[in-house]
Amino acid sequence: MNIDTYIPEIHDNNVLINQLVEFVNTLSEQQFNDSLDMGCGTVGAHVRHVIEHYQSLLNANRTIDYDNRPRNALIETDKSEAISALNTITLKLNQINTDKQVNVLCSTNLLITATNTLSSLRRELVFVHSHTTHHMAIIRILALTMKLPISLDFGKAASTQKFEQHVQF
């Protein structure tokens, strides 16, 4: 790979997507769809939400709209559909070879309409990485509640992992 076209955020996102695929592969359909009556959704709902944010980013030309995205119930309820969508995200991430300026429509306040924010593809890759980590942390809680085996670093922020490597508890 040419160092001039290497974008580290792509690698970082691929690591998360691969962790998610590996975990989802271990689940039964019931586990993927079990809400546990906790009020925080199912594993499938969180996976769908993550996928749709990546799709919003990767399918956009110059304007990314994370709020106005299709909600695909099949991805949420059928783990094979979710895995297929995650694999497609990996393929699309690996096709990126340059940064570019993008506009992001975002509604951070319910009282105002969406605003247009100038950003870059690399910055948005950082955003979806953080967003994915957050949802993986929720998935981790669901998995532990279901008494499922899950990696210690699943859903743990990269900065926390680095900190823990250098500090003894």
Side-chain angles (χ1 to χ4, degrees), residues 39-138:
C40 65
T42 64
V43 170
H46 288 281
V47 171
R48 175 197 50 79
H49 185 77
V50 163
I51 288 168
E52 290 170 355
H53 273 70
Y54 277 102
Q55 289 172 336
S56 294
L57 171 62
L58 296 169
N59 294 339
N61 186 14
R62 289 284 182 187
T63 300
I64 302 163
D65 187 351
Y66 295 113
D67 294 342
N68 187 21
R69 60 186 190 280
R71 270 74 169 176
N72 185 339
L74 190 56
I75 289 174
E76 181 173 332
T77 58
D78 183 334
K79 76 175 207 166
S80 64
E81 287 293 323
I83 291 168
S84 176
L86 289 166
N87 288 332
T88 299
I89 288 166
T90 299
L91 291 172
K92 287 186 175 189
L93 282 169
N94 291 332
Q95 292 172 355
I96 298 171
N97 60 14
T98 187
D99 194 13
K100 67 179 179 181
Q101 185 176 339
V102 295
N103 295 306
V104 179
L105 294 176
C106 57
S107 300
T108 57
N109 184 323
L110 295 177
L111 301 176
I112 61 174
T113 58
T115 58
N116 194 0
T117 303
L118 188 60
S119 187
S120 70
L121 180 58
R122 287 184 71 177
R123 172 63 190 97
E124 295 309 308
L125 287 168
V126 170
F127 164 72
V128 293
H129 184 277
S130 176
H131 179 261
T132 300
T133 301
H134 163 77
H135 283 277
M136 287 173 66
I138 298 169

